[in-house]
Structure formats: C-alpha cells, structure tokens
Short mmCIF file of all heavy atoms in Angstrom, two decimals:
data_model
loop_
_atom_site.label_atom_id
_atom_site.label_comp_id
_atom_site.label_asym_id
_atom_site.label_seq_id
_atom_site.Cartn_x
_atom_site.Cartn_y
_atom_site.Cartn_z
N MET A 1 0.83 -1.20 0.00
CA MET A 1 0.00 0.00 0.00
C MET A 1 0.88 1.26 0.00
O MET A 1 1.89 1.31 0.67
CB MET A 1 -0.89 0.00 1.25
CG MET A 1 -1.77 1.23 1.32
SD MET A 1 -2.55 1.42 2.92
CE MET A 1 -3.54 -0.07 2.98
N ASP A 2 0.44 2.26 -0.74
CA ASP A 2 1.15 3.53 -0.76
C ASP A 2 0.63 4.41 0.38
O ASP A 2 -0.48 4.93 0.32
CB ASP A 2 0.93 4.23 -2.11
CG ASP A 2 1.67 5.56 -2.18
OD1 ASP A 2 2.33 5.94 -1.18
OD2 ASP A 2 1.57 6.22 -3.22
N LEU A 3 1.46 4.55 1.42
CA LEU A 3 1.01 5.30 2.60
C LEU A 3 0.93 6.79 2.33
O LEU A 3 0.32 7.53 3.10
CB LEU A 3 1.93 5.01 3.79
CG LEU A 3 1.85 3.59 4.35
CD1 LEU A 3 2.84 3.41 5.49
CD2 LEU A 3 0.44 3.25 4.83
N ASN A 4 1.55 7.24 1.23
CA ASN A 4 1.49 8.66 0.90
C ASN A 4 0.31 9.02 0.02
O ASN A 4 0.10 10.18 -0.32
CB ASN A 4 2.79 9.09 0.20
CG ASN A 4 3.98 9.04 1.15
OD1 ASN A 4 3.87 9.42 2.31
ND2 ASN A 4 5.10 8.56 0.66
N LYS A 5 -0.49 8.02 -0.34
CA LYS A 5 -1.64 8.28 -1.20
C LYS A 5 -2.75 8.95 -0.38
O LYS A 5 -3.06 8.53 0.73
CB LYS A 5 -2.14 6.95 -1.78
CG LYS A 5 -3.29 7.09 -2.75
CD LYS A 5 -3.49 5.78 -3.51
CE LYS A 5 -4.69 5.86 -4.43
NZ LYS A 5 -5.95 5.49 -3.79
N ILE A 6 -3.34 9.96 -0.96
CA ILE A 6 -4.41 10.67 -0.27
C ILE A 6 -5.72 9.90 -0.41
O ILE A 6 -6.12 9.53 -1.52
CB ILE A 6 -4.55 12.11 -0.83
CG1 ILE A 6 -3.36 12.95 -0.36
CG2 ILE A 6 -5.87 12.73 -0.41
CD1 ILE A 6 -3.39 14.39 -0.82
N VAL A 7 -6.35 9.62 0.72
CA VAL A 7 -7.64 8.93 0.70
C VAL A 7 -8.78 9.94 0.83
O VAL A 7 -9.83 9.76 0.22
CB VAL A 7 -7.72 7.84 1.80
CG1 VAL A 7 -7.51 8.41 3.18
CG2 VAL A 7 -9.05 7.10 1.73
N CYS A 8 -8.56 10.99 1.58
CA CYS A 8 -9.59 12.03 1.75
C CYS A 8 -9.05 13.34 1.19
O CYS A 8 -8.21 13.98 1.83
CB CYS A 8 -9.94 12.19 3.22
SG CYS A 8 -11.10 13.54 3.54
N SER A 9 -9.53 13.70 0.01
CA SER A 9 -8.98 14.90 -0.63
C SER A 9 -9.48 16.17 0.04
O SER A 9 -8.82 17.21 -0.02
CB SER A 9 -9.28 14.91 -2.12
OG SER A 9 -10.64 14.62 -2.34
N CYS A 10 -10.64 16.13 0.68
CA CYS A 10 -11.14 17.34 1.37
C CYS A 10 -10.15 17.83 2.42
O CYS A 10 -9.96 19.02 2.59
CB CYS A 10 -12.48 17.06 2.03
SG CYS A 10 -13.85 16.92 0.86
N TYR A 11 -9.53 16.89 3.14
CA TYR A 11 -8.62 17.27 4.22
C TYR A 11 -7.19 16.81 3.96
O TYR A 11 -6.36 16.83 4.88
CB TYR A 11 -9.12 16.68 5.55
CG TYR A 11 -10.36 17.37 6.07
CD1 TYR A 11 -11.60 16.77 5.98
CD2 TYR A 11 -10.27 18.65 6.60
CE1 TYR A 11 -12.74 17.41 6.44
CE2 TYR A 11 -11.40 19.31 7.06
CZ TYR A 11 -12.63 18.68 6.97
OH TYR A 11 -13.76 19.33 7.41
N SER A 12 -6.91 16.37 2.72
CA SER A 12 -5.56 15.90 2.38
C SER A 12 -5.05 14.85 3.37
O SER A 12 -3.91 14.91 3.81
CB SER A 12 -4.57 17.07 2.32
OG SER A 12 -4.99 18.01 1.37
N VAL A 13 -5.92 13.90 3.70
CA VAL A 13 -5.54 12.84 4.63
C VAL A 13 -5.04 11.64 3.83
O VAL A 13 -5.73 11.17 2.91
CB VAL A 13 -6.74 12.42 5.51
CG1 VAL A 13 -6.35 11.27 6.43
CG2 VAL A 13 -7.24 13.61 6.32
N THR A 14 -3.85 11.17 4.19
CA THR A 14 -3.25 10.05 3.47
C THR A 14 -3.55 8.72 4.17
O THR A 14 -3.96 8.68 5.33
CB THR A 14 -1.72 10.21 3.41
OG1 THR A 14 -1.21 10.20 4.76
CG2 THR A 14 -1.32 11.50 2.71
N ASN A 15 -3.30 7.63 3.43
CA ASN A 15 -3.41 6.30 4.03
C ASN A 15 -2.57 6.24 5.30
O ASN A 15 -2.98 5.68 6.31
CB ASN A 15 -2.90 5.23 3.05
CG ASN A 15 -3.80 5.05 1.85
OD1 ASN A 15 -4.95 5.45 1.86
ND2 ASN A 15 -3.27 4.43 0.80
N GLY A 16 -1.35 6.82 5.23
CA GLY A 16 -0.44 6.77 6.36
C GLY A 16 -0.97 7.51 7.58
O GLY A 16 -0.71 7.12 8.72
N MET A 17 -1.72 8.58 7.34
CA MET A 17 -2.29 9.33 8.46
C MET A 17 -3.41 8.54 9.14
O MET A 17 -3.61 8.64 10.36
CB MET A 17 -2.79 10.70 7.98
CG MET A 17 -1.64 11.64 7.63
SD MET A 17 -2.14 13.03 6.60
CE MET A 17 -3.10 13.99 7.76
N ILE A 18 -4.12 7.74 8.36
CA ILE A 18 -5.13 6.85 8.96
C ILE A 18 -4.41 5.81 9.81
O ILE A 18 -4.82 5.53 10.95
CB ILE A 18 -5.96 6.14 7.86
CG1 ILE A 18 -6.62 7.15 6.91
CG2 ILE A 18 -6.99 5.21 8.50
CD1 ILE A 18 -7.71 7.98 7.51
N LYS A 19 -3.35 5.25 9.26
CA LYS A 19 -2.58 4.23 10.01
C LYS A 19 -2.03 4.83 11.30
O LYS A 19 -2.09 4.20 12.37
CB LYS A 19 -1.44 3.70 9.14
CG LYS A 19 -0.60 2.63 9.82
CD LYS A 19 0.46 2.08 8.89
CE LYS A 19 1.14 0.84 9.43
NZ LYS A 19 1.59 0.95 10.81
N GLU A 20 -1.52 6.05 11.21
CA GLU A 20 -0.94 6.70 12.39
C GLU A 20 -2.01 6.90 13.47
O GLU A 20 -1.76 6.67 14.66
CB GLU A 20 -0.36 8.05 11.96
CG GLU A 20 0.47 8.73 13.02
CD GLU A 20 1.03 10.06 12.50
OE1 GLU A 20 1.64 10.05 11.41
OE2 GLU A 20 0.83 11.07 13.17
N ALA A 21 -3.20 7.31 13.06
CA ALA A 21 -4.28 7.51 14.03
C ALA A 21 -4.62 6.18 14.71
O ALA A 21 -4.83 6.13 15.93
CB ALA A 21 -5.52 8.08 13.33
N VAL A 22 -4.66 5.10 13.92
CA VAL A 22 -4.96 3.78 14.49
C VAL A 22 -3.83 3.34 15.42
O VAL A 22 -4.07 2.87 16.54
CB VAL A 22 -5.18 2.74 13.36
CG1 VAL A 22 -5.21 1.32 13.93
CG2 VAL A 22 -6.48 3.04 12.62
N ASP A 23 -2.58 3.55 14.99
CA ASP A 23 -1.45 3.16 15.82
C ASP A 23 -1.41 3.96 17.13
O ASP A 23 -0.87 3.51 18.13
CB ASP A 23 -0.13 3.33 15.06
CG ASP A 23 0.06 2.26 13.99
OD1 ASP A 23 -0.66 1.23 14.05
OD2 ASP A 23 0.91 2.44 13.10
N ASN A 24 -1.99 5.17 17.08
CA ASN A 24 -2.03 6.00 18.29
C ASN A 24 -3.27 5.72 19.14
O ASN A 24 -3.53 6.46 20.10
CB ASN A 24 -1.98 7.48 17.90
CG ASN A 24 -0.59 7.90 17.46
OD1 ASN A 24 0.40 7.34 17.91
ND2 ASN A 24 -0.50 8.89 16.58
N GLY A 25 -4.03 4.69 18.77
CA GLY A 25 -5.10 4.28 19.67
C GLY A 25 -6.52 4.32 19.13
O GLY A 25 -7.43 3.81 19.75
N ALA A 26 -6.72 4.97 17.98
CA ALA A 26 -8.08 5.02 17.41
C ALA A 26 -8.46 3.64 16.87
O ALA A 26 -7.67 3.01 16.18
CB ALA A 26 -8.15 6.06 16.30
N SER A 27 -9.66 3.19 17.21
CA SER A 27 -10.08 1.85 16.78
C SER A 27 -11.37 1.85 15.98
O SER A 27 -11.75 0.84 15.41
CB SER A 27 -10.27 0.95 18.00
OG SER A 27 -9.03 0.76 18.66
N THR A 28 -12.03 3.00 15.91
CA THR A 28 -13.29 3.08 15.17
C THR A 28 -13.19 4.20 14.13
O THR A 28 -12.33 5.09 14.22
CB THR A 28 -14.47 3.41 16.10
OG1 THR A 28 -14.26 4.72 16.66
CG2 THR A 28 -14.59 2.38 17.22
N LEU A 29 -14.12 4.16 13.18
CA LEU A 29 -14.19 5.23 12.19
C LEU A 29 -14.32 6.58 12.89
O LEU A 29 -13.64 7.54 12.52
CB LEU A 29 -15.39 4.99 11.26
CG LEU A 29 -15.69 6.09 10.25
CD1 LEU A 29 -14.53 6.23 9.25
CD2 LEU A 29 -16.99 5.81 9.51
N GLU A 30 -15.16 6.65 13.91
CA GLU A 30 -15.40 7.91 14.60
C GLU A 30 -14.12 8.43 15.26
O GLU A 30 -13.83 9.63 15.21
CB GLU A 30 -16.51 7.74 15.65
CG GLU A 30 -17.90 7.56 15.07
CD GLU A 30 -18.13 6.20 14.41
OE1 GLU A 30 -17.40 5.23 14.74
OE2 GLU A 30 -19.02 6.10 13.56
N GLU A 31 -13.37 7.54 15.88
CA GLU A 31 -12.14 7.97 16.55
C GLU A 31 -11.11 8.43 15.53
O GLU A 31 -10.37 9.40 15.78
CB GLU A 31 -11.58 6.83 17.41
CG GLU A 31 -12.43 6.60 18.66
CD GLU A 31 -12.09 5.32 19.39
OE1 GLU A 31 -11.29 4.49 18.88
OE2 GLU A 31 -12.62 5.12 20.49
N VAL A 32 -11.06 7.77 14.39
CA VAL A 32 -10.13 8.20 13.33
C VAL A 32 -10.58 9.55 12.77
O VAL A 32 -9.75 10.41 12.46
CB VAL A 32 -10.03 7.13 12.22
CG1 VAL A 32 -9.29 7.67 11.00
CG2 VAL A 32 -9.34 5.88 12.75
N GLN A 33 -11.86 9.76 12.68
CA GLN A 33 -12.37 11.04 12.19
C GLN A 33 -12.04 12.15 13.18
O GLN A 33 -11.70 13.26 12.77
CB GLN A 33 -13.88 10.96 11.96
CG GLN A 33 -14.22 10.12 10.74
CD GLN A 33 -15.71 10.01 10.50
OE1 GLN A 33 -16.49 9.86 11.43
NE2 GLN A 33 -16.11 10.09 9.25
N ASP A 34 -12.14 11.87 14.48
CA ASP A 34 -11.77 12.88 15.48
C ASP A 34 -10.30 13.25 15.33
O ASP A 34 -9.92 14.41 15.49
CB ASP A 34 -12.01 12.34 16.89
CG ASP A 34 -13.49 12.36 17.25
OD1 ASP A 34 -14.26 13.00 16.52
OD2 ASP A 34 -13.85 11.74 18.27
N ALA A 35 -9.46 12.25 15.01
CA ALA A 35 -8.02 12.48 14.94
C ALA A 35 -7.60 13.14 13.63
O ALA A 35 -6.64 13.91 13.62
CB ALA A 35 -7.28 11.16 15.14
N THR A 36 -8.29 12.82 12.54
CA THR A 36 -7.80 13.26 11.23
C THR A 36 -8.78 14.13 10.45
O THR A 36 -8.39 14.75 9.46
CB THR A 36 -7.50 12.04 10.34
OG1 THR A 36 -8.73 11.36 10.05
CG2 THR A 36 -6.53 11.07 11.00
N SER A 37 -10.05 14.13 10.83
CA SER A 37 -11.14 14.80 10.09
C SER A 37 -11.49 14.08 8.79
O SER A 37 -12.38 14.53 8.06
CB SER A 37 -10.83 16.27 9.77
OG SER A 37 -10.73 17.01 10.96
N ALA A 38 -10.80 12.97 8.47
CA ALA A 38 -11.08 12.25 7.23
C ALA A 38 -12.55 11.87 7.14
O ALA A 38 -13.12 11.32 8.08
CB ALA A 38 -10.22 10.99 7.14
N GLY A 39 -13.16 12.19 6.02
CA GLY A 39 -14.53 11.78 5.79
C GLY A 39 -15.59 12.63 6.45
O GLY A 39 -16.77 12.28 6.44
N THR A 40 -15.19 13.78 7.00
CA THR A 40 -16.19 14.59 7.71
C THR A 40 -16.68 15.78 6.89
O THR A 40 -17.46 16.59 7.39
CB THR A 40 -15.62 15.10 9.05
OG1 THR A 40 -14.46 15.90 8.81
CG2 THR A 40 -15.25 13.94 9.96
N ALA A 41 -16.25 15.89 5.63
CA ALA A 41 -16.77 16.99 4.80
C ALA A 41 -17.75 16.43 3.78
O ALA A 41 -18.92 16.24 4.09
CB ALA A 41 -15.62 17.73 4.14
N CYS A 42 -17.28 16.10 2.57
CA CYS A 42 -18.24 15.66 1.54
C CYS A 42 -18.68 14.22 1.74
O CYS A 42 -19.75 13.83 1.26
CB CYS A 42 -17.62 15.84 0.15
SG CYS A 42 -16.39 14.59 -0.29
N GLY A 43 -17.85 13.41 2.39
CA GLY A 43 -18.24 12.02 2.64
C GLY A 43 -17.93 11.05 1.52
O GLY A 43 -18.17 9.85 1.66
N ALA A 44 -17.40 11.54 0.41
CA ALA A 44 -17.15 10.66 -0.74
C ALA A 44 -16.12 9.58 -0.43
O ALA A 44 -16.13 8.52 -1.04
CB ALA A 44 -16.67 11.49 -1.94
N CYS A 45 -15.25 9.84 0.52
CA CYS A 45 -14.18 8.90 0.84
C CYS A 45 -14.56 7.93 1.95
O CYS A 45 -13.75 7.07 2.33
CB CYS A 45 -12.95 9.68 1.28
SG CYS A 45 -13.28 10.63 2.79
N LEU A 46 -15.75 8.06 2.49
CA LEU A 46 -16.10 7.32 3.70
C LEU A 46 -15.89 5.81 3.60
O LEU A 46 -15.35 5.19 4.51
CB LEU A 46 -17.55 7.61 4.09
CG LEU A 46 -17.75 8.71 5.13
CD1 LEU A 46 -19.23 8.86 5.45
CD2 LEU A 46 -16.96 8.41 6.39
N ASP A 47 -16.33 5.22 2.47
CA ASP A 47 -16.16 3.77 2.32
C ASP A 47 -14.69 3.39 2.37
O ASP A 47 -14.31 2.40 2.99
CB ASP A 47 -16.78 3.29 1.01
CG ASP A 47 -18.30 3.22 1.10
OD1 ASP A 47 -18.84 3.37 2.22
OD2 ASP A 47 -18.94 3.03 0.06
N ASP A 48 -13.86 4.19 1.69
CA ASP A 48 -12.42 3.91 1.65
C ASP A 48 -11.80 4.09 3.04
O ASP A 48 -10.98 3.27 3.47
CB ASP A 48 -11.72 4.83 0.65
CG ASP A 48 -12.10 4.51 -0.78
OD1 ASP A 48 -12.52 3.37 -1.04
OD2 ASP A 48 -11.98 5.41 -1.63
N VAL A 49 -12.18 5.17 3.73
CA VAL A 49 -11.62 5.41 5.06
C VAL A 49 -12.01 4.27 5.99
O VAL A 49 -11.18 3.76 6.75
CB VAL A 49 -12.11 6.77 5.62
CG1 VAL A 49 -11.69 6.94 7.08
CG2 VAL A 49 -11.57 7.92 4.77
N LYS A 50 -13.27 3.86 5.91
CA LYS A 50 -13.76 2.80 6.78
C LYS A 50 -12.98 1.50 6.55
O LYS A 50 -12.58 0.81 7.48
CB LYS A 50 -15.24 2.57 6.48
CG LYS A 50 -15.97 1.84 7.56
CD LYS A 50 -17.47 2.12 7.46
CE LYS A 50 -18.19 1.39 8.56
NZ LYS A 50 -18.83 0.17 8.18
N ARG A 51 -12.74 1.20 5.26
CA ARG A 51 -12.00 -0.02 4.94
C ARG A 51 -10.58 0.05 5.48
O ARG A 51 -10.04 -0.93 6.01
CB ARG A 51 -12.00 -0.22 3.41
CG ARG A 51 -11.73 -1.65 2.98
CD ARG A 51 -11.87 -1.84 1.48
NE ARG A 51 -11.05 -0.89 0.75
CZ ARG A 51 -11.51 -0.02 -0.15
NH1 ARG A 51 -12.77 0.01 -0.45
NH2 ARG A 51 -10.70 0.82 -0.75
N LEU A 52 -9.95 1.21 5.37
CA LEU A 52 -8.58 1.38 5.87
C LEU A 52 -8.54 1.23 7.39
O LEU A 52 -7.64 0.58 7.93
CB LEU A 52 -8.04 2.76 5.48
CG LEU A 52 -7.66 2.93 4.02
CD1 LEU A 52 -7.42 4.40 3.71
CD2 LEU A 52 -6.43 2.11 3.67
N VAL A 53 -9.51 1.82 8.08
CA VAL A 53 -9.55 1.71 9.54
C VAL A 53 -9.64 0.24 9.93
O VAL A 53 -8.89 -0.23 10.79
CB VAL A 53 -10.73 2.50 10.13
CG1 VAL A 53 -10.88 2.22 11.62
CG2 VAL A 53 -10.55 4.00 9.89
N GLU A 54 -10.54 -0.48 9.29
CA GLU A 54 -10.70 -1.90 9.62
C GLU A 54 -9.42 -2.67 9.36
O GLU A 54 -9.00 -3.52 10.16
CB GLU A 54 -11.86 -2.50 8.80
CG GLU A 54 -13.22 -2.05 9.33
CD GLU A 54 -14.37 -2.36 8.38
OE1 GLU A 54 -14.12 -2.97 7.32
OE2 GLU A 54 -15.51 -1.99 8.70
N GLN A 55 -8.77 -2.37 8.24
CA GLN A 55 -7.52 -3.08 7.90
C GLN A 55 -6.42 -2.77 8.89
O GLN A 55 -5.73 -3.67 9.38
CB GLN A 55 -7.11 -2.68 6.48
CG GLN A 55 -5.80 -3.35 6.05
CD GLN A 55 -5.38 -2.95 4.65
OE1 GLN A 55 -6.22 -2.57 3.83
NE2 GLN A 55 -4.09 -3.01 4.37
N PHE A 56 -6.23 -1.48 9.21
CA PHE A 56 -5.13 -1.10 10.09
C PHE A 56 -5.38 -1.59 11.52
O PHE A 56 -4.44 -1.95 12.22
CB PHE A 56 -4.91 0.41 10.07
CG PHE A 56 -4.31 0.92 8.78
CD1 PHE A 56 -4.79 2.05 8.16
CD2 PHE A 56 -3.23 0.25 8.19
CE1 PHE A 56 -4.23 2.52 6.98
CE2 PHE A 56 -2.67 0.72 7.01
CZ PHE A 56 -3.17 1.84 6.40
N VAL A 57 -6.64 -1.57 11.96
CA VAL A 57 -6.95 -2.09 13.30
C VAL A 57 -6.64 -3.58 13.35
O VAL A 57 -6.04 -4.07 14.32
CB VAL A 57 -8.42 -1.81 13.67
CG1 VAL A 57 -8.83 -2.61 14.90
CG2 VAL A 57 -8.64 -0.32 13.93
N ALA A 58 -7.01 -4.31 12.30
CA ALA A 58 -6.75 -5.75 12.26
C ALA A 58 -5.26 -6.01 12.30
O ALA A 58 -4.79 -6.92 13.01
CB ALA A 58 -7.38 -6.35 11.02
N GLU A 59 -4.49 -5.21 11.56
CA GLU A 59 -3.03 -5.39 11.53
C GLU A 59 -2.43 -5.05 12.90
O GLU A 59 -1.54 -5.74 13.40
CB GLU A 59 -2.41 -4.49 10.46
CG GLU A 59 -2.66 -5.01 9.05
CD GLU A 59 -2.15 -4.03 7.99
OE1 GLU A 59 -1.46 -3.05 8.34
OE2 GLU A 59 -2.44 -4.27 6.82
N ARG A 60 -2.93 -3.97 13.49
CA ARG A 60 -2.38 -3.53 14.79
C ARG A 60 -2.64 -4.57 15.87
O ARG A 60 -1.79 -4.81 16.72
CB ARG A 60 -3.05 -2.19 15.18
CG ARG A 60 -2.52 -1.60 16.48
CD ARG A 60 -3.45 -0.53 17.01
NE ARG A 60 -4.72 -1.10 17.42
CZ ARG A 60 -5.82 -0.38 17.70
NH1 ARG A 60 -5.81 0.92 17.56
NH2 ARG A 60 -6.93 -0.98 18.07
N ASP A 61 -3.83 -5.16 15.84
CA ASP A 61 -4.24 -6.08 16.91
C ASP A 61 -3.87 -7.53 16.63
O ASP A 61 -4.17 -8.41 17.42
CB ASP A 61 -5.75 -5.97 17.14
CG ASP A 61 -6.13 -4.59 17.66
OD1 ASP A 61 -5.22 -3.85 18.09
OD2 ASP A 61 -7.32 -4.26 17.63
N SER A 62 -3.21 -7.79 15.51
CA SER A 62 -2.89 -9.18 15.18
C SER A 62 -1.58 -9.61 15.82
O SER A 62 -0.80 -8.79 16.26
CB SER A 62 -2.79 -9.38 13.67
OG SER A 62 -1.67 -8.67 13.17
S1 LIG B 1 -12.99 13.34 0.30
FE1 LIG B 1 -13.10 12.90 2.40
S2 LIG B 1 -14.67 14.16 3.18
FE2 LIG B 1 -14.51 14.71 1.08
#
C-alpha cells in the first residue's frame, strides 16, 4: 500500500495518516475522524476510510 496516497482529498488525509491515528489508539471510524477529520466533509471517501480503519486495526491487533 502507498502510505502517501491521499484517501480524503477534502482534508488531504493520506493512508499513512489513517494508520498513524490507528497506531495512536483510534479503533473506530469515529475515533479516526476525530483524529484526522477524514470523511467529515463531503463524505465521498467514507467507504475507503472505513475499509482502511478496519484493515489497520486488524493489523495492529494481530
Ligand atoms: S474526500 Fe473525504 S470528506 Fe470529502
């Protein structure tokens, strides 16, 4: 995965920033949104952000 790829263009949030939020303790979409604002404007990225959160949480907790 390219961690520098932007997943949320509204807030310029990258895959890596989602991972960082999860590594810092966020475990839900809502907690990642509090940390990064990803997906809180137009919402077009929500499915992608949600999938990334689930993937990074699974990796972190494995
Ligand atoms: S692209 Fe993420 S809220 Fe618009």
Side-chain angles (χ1 to χ4, degrees):
M1 179 192 298
D2 180 359
L3 292 178
N4 292 320
K5 183 167 177 272
I6 288 181
V7 59
C8 175
S9 48
C10 287
Y11 288 105
S12 301
V13 178
T14 62
N15 291 342
M17 289 162 70
I18 304 291
K19 181 177 191 311
E20 190 179 308
V22 168
D23 287 344
N24 285 332
S27 296
T28 64
L29 174 64
E30 289 72 22
E31 287 168 352
V32 169
Q33 288 179 319
D34 283 348
T36 66
S37 296
T40 60
C42 77
C45 62
L46 265 182
D47 284 351
D48 291 337
V49 172
K50 198 158 181 259
R51 201 174 53 238
L52 286 168
V53 172
E54 285 167 2
Q55 179 181 335
F56 289 135
V57 167
E59 286 174 8
R60 183 196 67 193
D61 295 346
S62 67

